[in-house]
Amino acid sequence: MQNRRPLLDALMQHLAENPVSFHVPGHKSQFPYGHPEKEFLSGMSKLDLTELPGLDNLHCPAGAIREAQELAAEVYGVDRTYFLVNGSTCGILAALLAAARPGECVVVDRFSHSSVSNGLALGRLTPAYVNRRVDCDTGIPLSLDLEELERVIKQHPRASAVIVTSPSYFGICSDIKSISGLAHDNGMILIVDEAHGAHLKFCGRLPESAVDAGADIVIQSAHKTLAAMTQGSWLHVRGDRVDTGRLESMLGIFQSTSPSYPIMASLDAARAVMASAGEDMLSSLVLWVRDARAKLNSGGKGFFCPGLEYFTGKGAYAFDETRLIINVRNAGITGLQLDSALRDNGRVYGEMYDYENWLGIATVGNTQADFRALVRACETIRTAPGTVRDMPDYSCCNPPTVLNPWEVMERNSRRVLLEEAEGMVSASGVIPYPPGIPLVCPGERITRNVIERIKEYSRLGISIKGCNNGEIDAIY
């Protein structure tokens, strides 16, 4: 059953009938323009259709889309799966507004995607933030601390939901089973932003997926770690705590009324591939990553690739071994310099870099040759092993909250010099990379500690999001 692709099959059947189109989209599955664009785009546009008879409707699925969603729910072991064509962002927004009503409190992992702040503002929700510890040797945030979560929940016993990010961008996973127990014991819905973990379900060598660990709503970006097209994601619901009628209403608000059939078809195909061969493909991938990690660690360049043993030794609950991190603290270069050198020396492109790390996301789309190319490129890079740079203070600033995110959204803001901002309320999140945890969130008061930390990061050349489009001299 899981090798079927009902939505993709329906689209292919429609095309096999050589239809004449008087419907949107405008390219009519032909892309009728000349020059090189036609060769490139005509193949892409073939499946770019609309809600025709036999092709179903995402907003009230009863045919091929419904069956495709049911197959996804079956393979993930959940009660319902919803296809998302606007990325995980729309799933997070819908989940927050379905789980909590205006004025209610949500317990929020401070290491969250910006869409969480936007959802809090749109839903007029009050956040209660849970801090994370950061590994000061790599600048990477560790798992959500259960004692800190319990403390925040006790302070906000009437909160409606808890939202957690796991795995993180760096592959750090939190103890979702225990977090689920804490949330449910206190009558709260658990939402997990598992955007980077759509693959975890399919391999025993990887951490347990949130869909199996007790989460009520799990949002995954299939386009990040599976073979789906960009923006292709899904939202899973398990159990009876979620008001699915309200959730579907919210998805109807945040999802496009012109959903992309190529994106939905790619979700259908990605699920079928993983259901049939995911364990073998991901097991091979993990071995390739381990091999590359070992070679880079022993290459004498000063690179350090932390793995499962390192992070669990630092107190992390689990680590997704498909993440390949190259820490350059002892190599005498920055993450930016490594990223540039890899592009120049081997046409190797990473996912992201920060002050002291380069991050590669390995997926079933990679081959063993890709890892060999990465190792070869690293071998050609000039480094200064043993050169240790100054490291910033990565601890959380804990500024006081003055306004809710939605109150910030409804007020005017102005640009002020950083040195003059003490005592004012931040209009946006100020987020350094690393560690990617906000120094100050929207609605929090800017303290002297925040200002001095921003200046310290600026002195070290660390990128900061939210300071006047990257400039560090001023803030909104």
Side-chain angles (χ1 to χ4, degrees), residues 251-271:
L251 286 172
I253 293 172
F254 293 114
Q255 293 252 64
S256 171
T257 55
S258 300
S260 165
Y261 273 82
I263 290 176
M264 290 189 289
S266 75
L267 287 170
D268 196 20
R271 182 268 314 153

Side-chain angles (χ1 to χ4, degrees), residues 99-107 120 125-128 156 158-162:
R101 304 297 174 102
E104 293 181 346
C105 177
V106 175
V107 176
L120 295 170
L125 306 174
T126 299
H156 302 85
R158 298 174 66 87
S160 299
V162 177

Side-chain angles (χ1 to χ4, degrees), residues 3-45:
N3 62 354
R4 297 196 61 237
R5 306 162 304 171
L7 180 56
L8 183 56
D9 292 343
L11 290 166
M12 298 302 292
Q13 176 61 36
H14 176 81
L15 292 173
E17 297 170 359
N18 296 315
V20 176
S21 170
F22 287 96
H23 57 75
V24 297
H27 54 63
K28 308 296 183 181
S29 299
Q30 300 296 327
F31 203 82
Y33 306 108
H35 309 298
E37 292 91 344
K38 181 173 183 178
E39 180 179 354
F40 172 66
L41 290 173
S42 61
M44 293 177 60
S45 64

Side-chain angles (χ1 to χ4, degrees), residues 58-347:
L58 178 63
H59 291 278
C60 51
I65 294 175
R66 178 176 178 175
E67 185 180 355
Q69 292 185 149
E70 288 173 346
L71 286 169
E74 179 184 325
V75 78
Y76 275 98
V78 297
D79 296 310
R80 295 176 187 238
T81 294
Y82 300 91
F83 281 9
L84 306 177
V85 295
N86 295 57
S88 286
T89 291
C90 77
I92 288 171
L93 297 177
L96 281 169
L97 271 66
R101 304 297 174 102
E104 293 181 346
C105 177
V106 175
V107 176
V108 179
D109 179 357
R110 197 173 179 93
F111 187 46
S112 293
H113 187 262
S114 58
S115 59
V116 173
S117 289
N118 294 335
L120 295 170
L122 290 171
R124 292 182 168 236
L125 306 174
T126 299
Y129 292 111
V130 183
N131 295 321
R132 289 196 184 212
R133 290 189 301 107
V134 177
D135 171 29
C136 292
D137 292 325
T138 60
I140 294 174
L142 299 172
S143 307
L144 195 71
D145 186 85
L146 294 176
E147 290 184 1
E148 174 70 2
L149 174 63
E150 186 172 18
R151 182 187 68 80
V152 174
I153 286 178
K154 285 182 178 178
Q155 288 180 343
H156 302 85
R158 298 174 66 87
S160 299
V162 177
I163 184 163
V164 175
T165 302
S166 181
S168 70
Y169 213 170
F170 288 99
I172 304 296
C173 298
S174 294
D175 183 357
I176 299 301
K177 188 166 290 184
S178 296
I179 293 171
S180 170
L182 280 172
H184 295 159
D185 288 347
N186 288 275
M188 301 173 188
I189 291 172
L190 176 59
I191 304 167
V192 177
D193 174 1
E194 200 173 59
H196 286 272
H199 60 301
L200 298 181
K201 174 73 177 182
F202 301 101
C203 183
R205 296 175 183 264
L206 298 176
E208 183 180 39
S209 171
V211 297
D212 294 324
D216 302 295
I217 300 177
V218 179
I219 302 103
Q220 300 172 332
S221 293
H223 67 92
K224 283 184 168 69
T225 60
L226 303 183
M229 291 179 65
T230 296
Q231 291 183 213
S233 304
W234 33 51
L235 182 152
H236 306 294
V237 176
R238 190 169 190 175
D240 58 3
R241 294 181 179 86
V242 179
D243 182 343
T244 54
R246 182 173 172 82
L247 175 63
E248 289 171 8
S249 295
M250 294 303 167
L251 286 172
I253 293 172
F254 293 114
Q255 293 252 64
S256 171
T257 55
S258 300
S260 165
Y261 273 82
I263 290 176
M264 290 189 289
S266 75
L267 287 170
D268 196 20
R271 182 268 314 153
V273 168
M274 297 311 293
S276 61
E279 181 71 42
D280 290 340
M281 296 170 75
L282 286 164
S283 293
S284 295
L285 179 67
V286 169
L287 295 177
W288 296 340
V289 175
R290 287 178 180 173
D291 180 64
R293 189 179 290 123
K295 288 177 178 175
L296 291 169
N297 281 336
S298 62
K301 290 288 184 175
F303 297 138
F304 171 55
C305 299
L308 176 61
E309 289 186 6
Y310 175 84
F311 284 117
T312 54
K314 290 285 187 173
Y317 177 72
F319 175 65
D320 173 11
E321 290 199 82
T322 66
R323 286 296 194 265
L324 184 54
I325 302 164
I326 304 177
N327 182 270
V328 297
R329 169 177 287 198
N330 296 307
I333 61 175
T334 66
L336 168 61
Q337 291 170 324
L338 174 59
D339 188 70
S340 298
L342 286 174
R343 293 199 308 271
D344 294 342
N345 294 7
R347 308 305 295 169

